[in-house]
Amino acid sequence: MSESSWSVDGQRGEAMLRVHFTGSDLANVRLARRPDPLWEIVCSLCRLQTREGALAFGPWRRMVGGRVRQGRAARDVASALSSLVPRAAYFPDFLTPPLEGGTHGLRTGIDRVLATPRRRLRRELSLLSATGGRPWAGAELARGEVTALAALGANLRTYHREFMAPVWNRVDAATATDRAWRTRALADGGTRALLDSLRPMAVWEPPVLTVDYPVERDLFLEGRGLLLVPSYFCWRRPITLADSDLRPVLIYPVDKAPSPPAASPTSLTRLLGPTRAALLHETAALTCATTSELAGAAGVSVPSASQQLAVLREGGLIASHRDGKRVLHAATPLGRRLLGDG
Protein backbone atom coordinates (compact mmCIF):
# COMPACT_ATOMS: atom_id res chain seq x y z
CA MET A 1 0.00 0.00 0.00
CA SER A 2 1.80 3.08 -1.21
CA GLU A 3 1.55 6.60 0.14
CA SER A 4 2.14 7.87 -3.35
CA SER A 5 -0.24 10.72 -3.92
CA TRP A 6 0.19 11.96 -0.37
CA SER A 7 3.89 12.17 -1.12
CA VAL A 8 3.56 13.42 -4.66
CA ASP A 9 0.67 15.83 -4.32
CA GLY A 10 0.76 16.99 -0.71
CA GLN A 11 2.06 20.37 0.27
CA ARG A 12 5.43 20.61 1.93
CA GLY A 13 5.04 20.22 5.68
CA GLU A 14 6.92 19.37 8.84
CA ALA A 15 6.45 15.58 8.75
CA MET A 16 9.40 13.46 7.72
CA LEU A 17 10.26 10.01 6.45
CA ARG A 18 13.47 8.81 8.10
CA VAL A 19 15.24 5.91 6.40
CA HIS A 20 17.61 4.22 8.86
CA PHE A 21 20.73 2.53 7.45
CA THR A 22 23.11 -0.01 8.93
CA GLY A 23 26.58 -0.74 7.58
CA SER A 24 25.14 -3.64 5.62
CA ASP A 25 22.52 -1.36 4.08
CA LEU A 26 25.16 1.09 2.87
CA ALA A 27 26.87 -1.81 1.10
CA ASN A 28 23.58 -2.72 -0.57
CA VAL A 29 22.33 0.56 -2.01
CA ARG A 30 21.41 0.05 -5.65
CA LEU A 31 20.29 2.25 -8.51
CA ALA A 32 17.68 0.98 -10.97
CA ARG A 33 19.04 0.62 -14.50
CA ARG A 34 15.98 2.13 -16.19
CA PRO A 35 12.56 3.57 -15.33
CA ASP A 36 10.00 1.12 -14.00
CA PRO A 37 6.90 1.22 -16.25
CA LEU A 38 4.48 0.38 -13.42
CA TRP A 39 5.79 3.10 -11.12
CA GLU A 40 5.57 5.51 -14.05
CA ILE A 41 1.95 4.48 -14.64
CA VAL A 42 1.07 4.97 -10.97
CA CYS A 43 2.83 8.33 -10.70
CA SER A 44 1.33 9.52 -13.98
CA LEU A 45 -2.15 8.69 -12.70
CA CYS A 46 -1.44 11.08 -9.83
CA ARG A 47 -0.31 13.70 -12.36
CA LEU A 48 -3.63 13.44 -14.19
CA GLN A 49 -5.49 14.41 -11.02
CA THR A 50 -3.67 17.65 -10.29
CA ARG A 51 -2.50 20.72 -12.19
CA GLU A 52 0.86 20.81 -10.48
CA GLY A 53 3.91 20.74 -12.70
CA ALA A 54 2.20 22.55 -15.58
CA LEU A 55 5.44 23.17 -17.47
CA ALA A 56 6.67 19.60 -17.17
CA PHE A 57 3.37 17.75 -17.57
CA GLY A 58 1.02 20.18 -19.31
CA PRO A 59 1.69 18.94 -22.87
CA TRP A 60 1.31 15.32 -21.74
CA ARG A 61 -1.96 16.07 -19.95
CA ARG A 62 -3.30 17.74 -23.10
CA MET A 63 -2.33 14.70 -25.15
CA VAL A 64 -4.10 12.39 -22.69
CA GLY A 65 -7.13 14.65 -22.60
CA GLY A 66 -7.38 14.57 -26.38
CA ARG A 67 -7.25 10.79 -26.50
CA VAL A 68 -9.79 10.47 -23.70
CA ARG A 69 -12.21 12.76 -25.55
CA GLN A 70 -11.76 10.85 -28.78
CA GLY A 71 -12.46 7.36 -27.46
CA ARG A 72 -14.55 5.75 -24.76
CA ALA A 73 -12.04 2.91 -24.30
CA ALA A 74 -9.26 5.31 -23.31
CA ARG A 75 -11.62 7.17 -20.96
CA ASP A 76 -12.75 3.95 -19.29
CA VAL A 77 -9.16 2.77 -18.78
CA ALA A 78 -8.06 6.06 -17.24
CA SER A 79 -11.12 6.11 -14.96
CA ALA A 80 -10.70 2.50 -13.84
CA LEU A 81 -7.03 2.88 -12.95
CA SER A 82 -7.55 6.28 -11.30
CA SER A 83 -9.98 4.62 -8.91
CA LEU A 84 -7.11 2.41 -7.75
CA VAL A 85 -4.77 5.41 -7.44
CA PRO A 86 -6.97 8.26 -6.18
CA ARG A 87 -5.47 11.67 -5.59
CA ALA A 88 -4.20 12.44 -2.07
CA ALA A 89 -5.03 8.92 -0.94
CA TYR A 90 -3.50 5.55 -0.42
CA PHE A 91 -2.88 3.12 -3.28
CA PRO A 92 -2.08 -0.60 -3.15
CA ASP A 93 1.52 -1.76 -3.18
CA PHE A 94 0.64 -4.73 -5.38
CA LEU A 95 0.44 -2.32 -8.34
CA THR A 96 4.23 -1.82 -8.10
CA PRO A 97 5.82 -5.25 -7.48
CA PRO A 98 9.51 -5.59 -6.54
CA LEU A 99 12.02 -5.06 -9.31
CA GLU A 100 14.21 -8.12 -9.75
CA GLY A 101 17.75 -7.10 -10.61
CA GLY A 102 16.76 -3.45 -10.29
CA THR A 103 14.39 -3.41 -13.26
CA HIS A 104 11.70 -5.24 -15.16
CA GLY A 105 9.73 -4.68 -18.33
CA LEU A 106 6.03 -3.94 -18.63
CA ARG A 107 5.01 -7.52 -19.43
CA THR A 108 6.93 -9.03 -16.52
CA GLY A 109 5.65 -6.33 -14.17
CA ILE A 110 2.03 -6.90 -15.12
CA ASP A 111 2.47 -10.67 -14.73
CA ARG A 112 3.71 -10.04 -11.18
CA VAL A 113 0.75 -7.77 -10.44
CA LEU A 114 -1.70 -10.43 -11.62
CA ALA A 115 0.07 -13.10 -9.54
CA THR A 116 -0.60 -11.21 -6.28
CA PRO A 117 -1.98 -13.64 -3.63
CA ARG A 118 -5.69 -13.20 -2.90
CA ARG A 119 -5.07 -12.53 0.79
CA ARG A 120 -2.86 -9.59 -0.09
CA LEU A 121 -5.37 -8.32 -2.67
CA ARG A 122 -8.09 -8.33 -0.02
CA ARG A 123 -5.94 -6.63 2.59
CA GLU A 124 -4.66 -3.83 0.38
CA LEU A 125 -7.95 -3.12 -1.36
CA SER A 126 -9.68 -3.04 2.04
CA LEU A 127 -7.18 -0.44 3.20
CA LEU A 128 -7.80 1.54 0.02
CA SER A 129 -11.55 1.51 0.69
CA ALA A 130 -10.97 2.45 4.34
CA THR A 131 -9.08 5.59 3.26
CA GLY A 132 -11.96 6.72 1.07
CA GLY A 133 -10.99 5.08 -2.21
CA ARG A 134 -13.57 3.43 -4.42
CA PRO A 135 -11.56 0.86 -6.35
CA TRP A 136 -12.81 -0.21 -9.74
CA ALA A 137 -14.05 -3.83 -9.66
CA GLY A 138 -13.20 -3.75 -5.94
CA ALA A 139 -15.02 -6.84 -4.69
CA GLU A 140 -14.21 -8.97 -7.73
CA LEU A 141 -10.58 -7.89 -7.74
CA ALA A 142 -10.24 -8.43 -3.98
CA ARG A 143 -11.46 -12.00 -4.46
CA GLY A 144 -8.90 -12.52 -7.19
CA GLU A 145 -11.54 -13.36 -9.79
CA VAL A 146 -10.00 -14.25 -13.14
CA THR A 147 -12.10 -11.79 -15.14
CA ALA A 148 -11.25 -8.88 -12.83
CA LEU A 149 -7.53 -9.68 -12.93
CA ALA A 150 -7.61 -10.04 -16.72
CA ALA A 151 -9.34 -6.67 -17.00
CA LEU A 152 -6.73 -5.07 -14.73
CA GLY A 153 -3.92 -6.46 -16.89
CA ALA A 154 -5.63 -5.22 -20.05
CA ASN A 155 -6.15 -1.76 -18.53
CA LEU A 156 -2.48 -1.47 -17.57
CA ARG A 157 -1.36 -2.50 -21.05
CA THR A 158 -3.80 -0.14 -22.75
CA TYR A 159 -2.91 2.76 -20.49
CA HIS A 160 0.79 2.29 -21.20
CA ARG A 161 0.24 2.00 -24.95
CA GLU A 162 -2.07 5.01 -25.21
CA PHE A 163 -0.63 7.41 -22.65
CA MET A 164 2.94 6.36 -21.80
CA ALA A 165 4.45 4.99 -25.02
CA PRO A 166 4.13 8.34 -26.88
CA VAL A 167 6.43 10.01 -24.32
CA TRP A 168 8.57 7.03 -23.31
CA ASN A 169 11.65 8.30 -25.16
CA ARG A 170 11.46 11.43 -23.01
CA VAL A 171 11.01 9.36 -19.85
CA ASP A 172 13.92 7.13 -20.82
CA ALA A 173 16.20 10.06 -21.67
CA ALA A 174 15.52 11.93 -18.42
CA THR A 175 16.04 8.90 -16.21
CA ALA A 176 19.14 7.78 -18.14
CA THR A 177 20.68 11.22 -17.66
CA ASP A 178 19.87 11.17 -13.95
CA ARG A 179 21.38 7.72 -13.59
CA ALA A 180 24.58 8.93 -15.24
CA TRP A 181 24.87 11.77 -12.70
CA ARG A 182 24.20 9.45 -9.77
CA THR A 183 26.73 6.94 -11.10
CA ARG A 184 29.31 9.71 -11.32
CA ALA A 185 28.63 10.64 -7.69
CA LEU A 186 29.02 6.99 -6.69
CA ALA A 187 32.30 6.69 -8.58
CA ASP A 188 33.66 9.91 -7.08
CA GLY A 189 32.63 9.43 -3.46
CA GLY A 190 30.99 6.05 -2.88
CA THR A 191 27.56 5.32 -1.45
CA ARG A 192 27.60 8.28 0.89
CA ALA A 193 28.17 10.66 -2.04
CA LEU A 194 25.37 8.95 -3.95
CA LEU A 195 22.95 9.52 -1.08
CA ASP A 196 24.18 13.07 -0.60
CA SER A 197 23.49 13.75 -4.29
CA LEU A 198 19.76 13.45 -3.55
CA ARG A 199 19.75 16.90 -1.93
CA PRO A 200 17.61 18.94 -1.61
CA MET A 201 14.77 16.41 -1.94
CA ALA A 202 16.45 14.15 0.62
CA VAL A 203 19.08 14.92 3.25
CA TRP A 204 21.76 12.39 4.16
CA GLU A 205 22.98 12.70 7.75
CA PRO A 206 24.57 9.31 8.52
CA PRO A 207 23.06 6.92 9.29
CA VAL A 208 19.67 8.44 8.37
CA LEU A 209 18.26 9.69 5.06
CA THR A 210 15.50 12.22 5.76
CA VAL A 211 12.77 13.01 3.27
CA ASP A 212 9.98 15.59 3.52
CA TYR A 213 6.82 13.51 3.80
CA PRO A 214 3.11 13.94 4.52
CA VAL A 215 3.21 11.70 7.60
CA GLU A 216 5.77 10.95 10.31
CA ARG A 217 7.42 7.66 9.52
CA ASP A 218 10.57 5.67 10.22
CA LEU A 219 11.74 2.99 7.79
CA PHE A 220 14.37 0.62 9.20
CA LEU A 221 16.21 -1.14 6.38
CA GLU A 222 17.66 -3.78 8.71
CA GLY A 223 20.26 -5.08 6.27
CA ARG A 224 17.92 -5.30 3.27
CA GLY A 225 19.51 -2.35 1.48
CA LEU A 226 17.68 0.21 -0.60
CA LEU A 227 16.84 0.40 -4.29
CA LEU A 228 16.78 3.93 -5.71
CA VAL A 229 14.41 4.25 -8.67
CA PRO A 230 14.51 7.42 -10.80
CA SER A 231 11.09 8.45 -12.08
CA TYR A 232 9.93 11.00 -14.63
CA PHE A 233 6.33 11.24 -13.42
CA CYS A 234 7.20 11.36 -9.72
CA TRP A 235 6.82 14.97 -8.58
CA ARG A 236 8.62 17.15 -6.03
CA ARG A 237 9.60 14.56 -3.43
CA PRO A 238 10.58 10.89 -3.15
CA ILE A 239 7.98 8.24 -2.33
CA THR A 240 8.11 4.72 -0.98
CA LEU A 241 5.94 1.72 -0.22
CA ALA A 242 3.70 1.84 2.82
CA ASP A 243 4.35 -1.76 3.85
CA SER A 244 7.70 -1.74 5.63
CA ASP A 245 7.98 -5.53 5.31
CA LEU A 246 8.32 -5.30 1.53
CA ARG A 247 11.66 -4.88 -0.17
CA PRO A 248 12.65 -1.23 0.45
CA VAL A 249 12.56 1.16 -2.50
CA LEU A 250 12.74 4.92 -2.83
CA ILE A 251 11.20 6.42 -5.96
CA TYR A 252 12.57 9.90 -6.61
CA PRO A 253 11.82 12.56 -9.24
CA VAL A 254 14.30 13.38 -11.99
CA ASP A 255 14.80 16.71 -13.73
CA LYS A 256 12.19 17.26 -16.44
CA ALA A 257 14.16 18.94 -19.18
CA PRO A 258 12.00 20.24 -22.01
CA SER A 259 11.96 18.12 -25.16
CA PRO A 260 14.62 19.13 -27.69
CA PRO A 261 13.32 20.80 -30.82
CA ALA A 262 12.94 18.64 -33.89
CA ALA A 263 16.22 18.51 -35.78
CA SER A 264 16.22 20.36 -39.09
CA PRO A 265 18.51 19.47 -42.02
CA THR A 266 20.66 22.46 -41.08
CA SER A 267 21.06 21.34 -37.47
CA LEU A 268 21.86 17.80 -38.58
CA THR A 269 24.59 19.20 -40.83
CA ARG A 270 25.99 21.11 -37.88
CA LEU A 271 26.16 17.89 -35.88
CA LEU A 272 28.41 16.27 -38.49
CA GLY A 273 32.10 16.85 -37.99
CA PRO A 274 35.14 15.30 -36.31
CA THR A 275 35.16 17.43 -33.17
CA ARG A 276 31.51 16.92 -32.28
CA ALA A 277 31.71 13.24 -33.18
CA ALA A 278 34.71 12.83 -30.88
CA LEU A 279 32.98 14.68 -28.05
CA LEU A 280 29.81 12.61 -28.42
CA HIS A 281 31.87 9.42 -28.41
CA GLU A 282 33.79 10.47 -25.29
CA THR A 283 30.60 11.60 -23.54
CA ALA A 284 29.14 8.12 -24.05
CA ALA A 285 32.37 6.36 -23.10
CA LEU A 286 32.96 8.36 -19.90
CA THR A 287 29.30 8.00 -18.80
CA CYS A 288 29.21 11.37 -17.04
CA ALA A 289 32.09 13.78 -17.48
CA THR A 290 32.98 17.43 -16.97
CA THR A 291 33.62 19.84 -19.82
CA SER A 292 37.35 19.82 -19.00
CA GLU A 293 37.52 16.03 -18.99
CA LEU A 294 35.79 15.82 -22.35
CA ALA A 295 38.02 18.53 -23.81
CA GLY A 296 41.10 16.61 -22.73
CA ALA A 297 39.79 13.29 -24.04
CA ALA A 298 38.87 14.80 -27.42
CA GLY A 299 42.06 16.87 -27.70
CA VAL A 300 40.39 20.28 -27.97
CA SER A 301 40.37 23.42 -25.85
CA VAL A 302 37.82 23.86 -23.08
CA PRO A 303 36.08 26.82 -24.80
CA SER A 304 35.81 24.83 -28.04
CA ALA A 305 34.48 21.79 -26.19
CA SER A 306 31.91 23.95 -24.39
CA GLN A 307 30.70 25.39 -27.69
CA GLN A 308 30.47 22.03 -29.44
CA LEU A 309 28.78 20.38 -26.45
CA ALA A 310 26.11 23.10 -26.61
CA VAL A 311 25.40 22.08 -30.22
CA LEU A 312 25.11 18.41 -29.22
CA ARG A 313 22.81 19.38 -26.37
CA GLU A 314 20.58 21.43 -28.71
CA GLY A 315 20.28 18.37 -30.93
CA GLY A 316 19.16 16.21 -28.01
CA LEU A 317 22.27 13.99 -28.17
CA ILE A 318 23.64 14.88 -24.75
CA ALA A 319 22.21 16.26 -21.50
CA SER A 320 24.05 18.58 -19.13
CA HIS A 321 23.69 19.15 -15.41
CA ARG A 322 25.35 21.82 -13.28
CA ASP A 323 26.98 20.41 -10.14
CA GLY A 324 28.39 23.30 -8.15
CA LYS A 325 31.05 25.01 -10.26
CA ARG A 326 31.29 22.25 -12.83
CA VAL A 327 28.96 21.02 -15.56
CA LEU A 328 28.50 17.29 -16.09
CA HIS A 329 27.52 15.85 -19.45
CA ALA A 330 25.96 12.51 -20.37
CA ALA A 331 24.92 10.99 -23.68
CA THR A 332 21.17 10.61 -24.13
CA PRO A 333 19.62 7.38 -25.46
CA LEU A 334 19.29 9.16 -28.83
CA GLY A 335 22.99 10.01 -28.79
CA ARG A 336 23.90 6.44 -27.92
CA ARG A 337 21.72 5.10 -30.72
CA LEU A 338 23.49 7.43 -33.16
CA LEU A 339 26.75 5.85 -32.04
CA GLY A 340 25.29 2.36 -32.46
CA ASP A 341 25.26 1.81 -28.70
CA GLY A 342 21.55 1.96 -27.94
Side-chain angles (χ1 to χ4, degrees):
M1 296 71 61
S2 307
E3 296 155 334
S4 65
S5 52
W6 287 339
S7 301
V8 177
D9 296 323
Q11 298 298 313
R12 188 172 182 86
E14 296 181 355
M16 294 290 174
L17 165 69
R18 290 169 292 275
V19 184
H20 298 260
F21 288 74
T22 66
S24 297
D25 295 312
L26 286 173
N28 193 23
V29 174
R30 295 167 295 141
L31 187 62
R33 292 195 295 271
R34 58 180 65 95
D36 174 56
L38 291 175
W39 272 108
E40 294 300 332
I41 286 174
V42 164
C43 290
S44 73
L45 285 163
C46 296
R47 304 283 66 74
L48 284 179
Q49 300 173 68
T50 175
R51 294 183 179 181
E52 289 185 328
L55 182 62
F57 304 114
W60 175 77
R61 288 193 189 102
R62 289 191 290 272
M63 181 272 291
V64 172
R67 296 195 174 198
V68 165
R69 287 189 295 272
Q70 291 172 7
R72 179 177 177 180
R75 181 170 62 252
D76 289 347
V77 165
S79 177
L81 292 180
S82 293
S83 73
L84 289 171
V85 189
R87 183 187 177 195
Y90 178 97
F91 73 74
D93 283 337
F94 72 77
L95 291 172
T96 52
L99 288 73
E100 298 296 337
T103 184
H104 58 54
L106 179 66
R107 178 180 297 181
T108 301
I110 292 176
D111 286 345
R112 291 180 182 276
V113 170
L114 303 186
T116 305
R118 292 182 181 180
R119 179 179 298 179
R120 181 176 171 190
L121 287 172
R122 281 196 306 273
R123 182 177 72 250
E124 296 190 2
L125 290 172
S126 294
L127 285 169
L128 177 60
S129 296
T131 58
R134 295 182 178 180
W136 160 84
E140 294 83 358
L141 191 58
R143 291 195 296 268
E145 293 187 7
V146 173
T147 53
L149 288 170
L152 174 58
N155 284 340
L156 289 169
R157 286 188 290 270
T158 300
Y159 184 94
H160 190 274
R161 182 182 69 246
E162 293 295 322
F163 305 142
M164 307 299 291
V167 296
W168 197 254
N169 283 343
R170 192 183 312 166
V171 172
D172 196 36
T175 52
T177 299
D178 181 271
R179 189 177 190 280
W181 298 333
R182 307 298 172 194
T183 301
R184 171 68 185 244
L186 181 65
D188 285 349
T191 303
R192 289 173 173 80
L194 170 62
L195 294 174
D196 199 49
S197 76
L198 295 173
R199 287 178 179 266
M201 56 186 166
V203 177
W204 172 238
E205 296 177 332
V208 178
L209 184 70
T210 304
V211 180
D212 179 56
Y213 221 58
V215 294
E216 284 292 329
R217 183 175 172 196
D218 288 273
L219 174 59
F220 294 90
L221 300 180
E222 298 176 327
R224 295 173 295 169
L226 182 67
L227 176 63
L228 300 172
V229 183
S231 169
Y232 184 86
F233 281 95
C234 184
W235 178 243
R236 297 180 63 183
R237 66 183 78 174
I239 61 179
T240 190
L241 300 168
D243 189 342
S244 298
D245 291 333
L246 296 174
R247 190 176 307 169
V249 296
L250 191 68
I251 316 301
Y252 66 90
V254 301
D255 287 343
K256 280 79 169 171
S259 301
S264 65
T266 301
S267 64
L268 287 176
T269 300
R270 292 178 64 203
L271 287 173
L272 299 176
T275 300
R276 285 187 286 272
L279 285 168
L280 179 60
H281 175 81
E282 295 299 339
T283 302
L286 295 175
T287 303
C288 192
T290 66
T291 304
S292 296
E293 290 169 343
L294 291 172
V300 298
S301 68
V302 172
S304 177
S306 180
Q307 181 181 8
Q308 303 306 330
L309 288 168
V311 176
L312 293 172
R313 184 168 55 251
E314 290 170 5
L317 302 180
I318 70 167
S320 303
H321 172 73
R322 179 164 294 280
D323 180 24
K325 294 183 179 180
R326 62 183 183 177
V327 178
L328 301 175
H329 309 277
T332 65
L334 176 60
R336 291 185 177 277
R337 285 197 295 272
L338 189 64
L339 293 169
D341 186 32

